[in-house]
Amino acid sequence: MGPNKAPHSLGQAVAMTGCADANTGGFIFGEEQKNSAGVGRQAMLLTPSPPGTRMGKAATLNQTMVREFILVGLSSNPTMQRVLFMVFLPLYLLTLAGNILVLVTIVHDRQLHSPMYFFLSNLSFIDICHASVTVPKMLVDFLSAEKTISFGGCVAQMFFLHLFTCTEIFLLTVMAYDRYVAICHPLQYLTIMSRRVCLQLTGVLWLGGTVHSLALTSMTIKLPYCGPREVDNFFCDVPPVIKLACTDTYVIEVLIVSNSGLISVVCFVVLVVSYGVILTSLRSRLSMGKRKALSTCAAHLTVVTLFLGHCIFIYSRPSTSLAEDKVVSVFFTAITPLLNPIIYTLRNEDMKRALNKLMGGKVDAEK
């Protein structure tokens, strides 16, 4: 067809236009052609690539790379933050001093080299680690304008928090079993709770805590995080962090309840039943030695109630924010580790005697 000839039909004209569009971008000349080309390039840049393509994968990767989170904290008022700093700094220092003192006392006094005090020393060590995971960061944030934590720091905080929490739950259960054997089977106590058995139980509970923490942390970091960064607490924990994910987290929430929540509830029931059996056994024979055992069990029950109460409250329900969450979390991370050495020393005559001996004081022989 020559350049001066017109198309014979509408179909032929459309075919010519389509052919021209395919080869030259259309019969557009001058400024119109430039504008059309610019708009086309803009459209190509703004149009998202399909997920399966290389560009789509890169865009998805960029969306998931949240580099840091913002911790909302306990208060946004600078004056209140300074007050809270002055309150929690002495509490943290007392927590370290009290638990270190318990550890040194047990190691120093050979009369305390028994299974019960071996587990108590493990409890003091865990309490030091447990408080140190969250409280130092909280104290720093009280004096900082920007309360941020890196993605890696947040993951590390979640991992160690659940490691020490789960390990302590298992340890409290083992301590209840130890008291059951000591009170209900005193003649076989040293045979059943031998040094080898104590070491094996300690290894198992630390292994269980590690597996539990790895499972929860790995599920959390695999979620895509592409926008919201404010963690509604003063530390990183699984429930508030997964709420920031850009996907449905219903399955993860169910797994948290069935994992952390179930462990807390089952261990709490086992502990209550164990101490119920012990108290029933002690009811009819309240000699001086039995009163001492009853005092020890009361101390254990107090610690169990304070510690497991938080775990059941936080992890046995879906990830919904309640006004009480932060109060419970503060008590769990900053107060309970301080109360443990106080409870065990004030209600334990052997510990008071050993502390007096360590400090060079007089030991009351009647105690």
Side-chain angles (χ1 to χ4, degrees):
M1 181 183 298
N4 297 326
K5 292 182 181 180
H8 296 293
S9 65
L10 180 61
Q12 192 173 3
V14 172
M16 291 173 59
T17 305
C19 181
D21 285 340
N23 293 318
T24 65
F27 291 113
I28 304 173
F29 299 97
E31 292 299 323
E32 294 183 2
Q33 184 177 15
K34 294 178 182 178
N35 293 338
S36 176
V39 171
R41 283 193 296 270
Q42 252 185 342
M44 289 177 64
L45 291 173
L46 294 176
T47 303
S49 302
T53 63
R54 185 175 300 177
M55 291 180 64
K57 292 179 180 178
T60 304
L61 183 61
N62 288 334
Q63 284 183 343
T64 60
M65 289 300 292
V66 173
R67 297 185 180 275
E68 64 181 14
F69 291 105
I70 300 172
L71 300 175
V72 174
L74 298 177
S75 174
S76 58
N77 187 317
T79 303
M80 180 57 68
Q81 291 180 23
R82 288 191 289 270
V83 172
L84 292 173
F85 176 83
M86 298 302 295
V87 170
F88 284 104
L89 178 61
L91 291 179
Y92 178 61
L93 295 178
L94 287 173
T95 299
L96 296 181
N99 284 285
I100 291 174
L101 183 60
V102 170
L103 280 171
V104 172
T105 302
I106 293 174
V107 172
H108 180 266
D109 197 319
R110 294 186 61 86
Q111 294 184 10
L112 298 181
H113 292 182
S114 64
M116 186 183 84
Y117 294 103
F118 170 74
F119 294 128
L120 180 58
S121 64
N122 275 269
L123 180 64
S124 293
F125 174 75
I126 292 174
D127 281 337
I128 292 171
C129 299
H130 187 200
S132 299
V133 171
T134 57
V135 177
K137 174 61 178 171
M138 178 180 67
L139 293 173
V140 171
D141 287 344
F142 283 147
L143 305 178
S144 303
E146 295 184 359
K147 300 171 178 56
T148 59
I149 184 171
S150 66
F151 186 86
C154 186
V155 171
Q157 201 172 52
M158 286 188 292
F159 172 78
F160 286 109
L161 177 69
H162 283 272
L163 168 63
F164 298 128
T165 300
C166 189
T167 303
E168 184 162 345
I169 292 174
F170 292 151
L171 177 60
L172 292 173
T173 308
V174 170
M175 291 174 72
Y177 174 72
D178 171 75
R179 289 300 84 206
Y180 166 78
V181 175
I183 294 171
C184 298
H185 304 281
L187 298 180
Q188 294 84 26
Y189 175 65
L190 293 179
T191 303
I192 297 174
M193 299 301 296
S194 63
R195 180 179 178 82
R196 179 181 178 184
V197 170
C198 291
L199 293 174
Q200 289 176 342
L201 288 173
T202 303
V204 169
L205 62 90
W206 277 99
L207 178 61
T210 303
V211 172
H212 162 81
S213 183
L214 282 174
L216 279 187
T217 307
S218 62
M219 287 190 297
T220 304
I221 63 177
K222 287 180 180 178
L223 296 173
Y225 299 94
C226 54
R229 298 187 301 149
E230 290 192 350
V231 179
D232 190 20
N233 213 327
F234 60 92
F235 63 93
C236 284
D237 197 5
V238 174
V241 169
I242 63 173
K243 289 193 295 186
L244 305 179
C246 305
T247 186
D248 184 19
T249 59
Y250 175 77
V251 175
I252 303 295
E253 292 179 22
V254 171
L255 290 175
I256 291 174
V257 172
S258 61
N259 189 339
S260 299
L262 189 62
I263 288 175
S264 303
V265 172
V266 170
C267 288
F268 183 75
V269 171
V270 170
L271 287 165
V272 170
V273 172
S274 299
Y275 286 117
V277 173
I278 293 172
L279 294 176
T280 302
S281 174
L282 292 174
R283 186 176 57 184
S284 59
R285 37 180 178 168
L286 286 178
S287 61
M288 182 59 68
K290 299 305 177 183
R291 287 194 180 92
K292 178 180 175 182
L294 185 62
S295 176
T296 302
C297 290
H300 287 200
L301 272 174
T302 305
V303 171
V304 166
T305 304
L306 293 174
F307 190 81
L308 286 178
H310 163 272
C311 297
I312 295 173
F313 180 80
I314 296 294
Y315 302 113
S316 298
R317 58 182 172 85
S319 299
T320 54
S321 296
L322 297 178
E324 298 83 4
D325 284 354
K326 291 184 182 180
V327 177
V328 175
S329 296
V330 167
F331 199 85
F332 172 66
T333 57
I335 307 300
T336 303
L338 171 62
L339 293 180
N340 284 351
I342 296 175
I343 291 171
Y344 280 106
T345 53
L346 292 181
R347 298 188 63 90
N348 190 304
E349 299 299 334
D350 289 337
M351 282 296 301
K352 287 193 284 187
R353 177 196 54 77
L355 282 172
N356 285 333
K357 184 177 178 180
L358 181 65
M359 299 299 179
K362 295 181 180 180
V363 181
D364 188 351
E366 293 181 0
K367 296 183 179 180

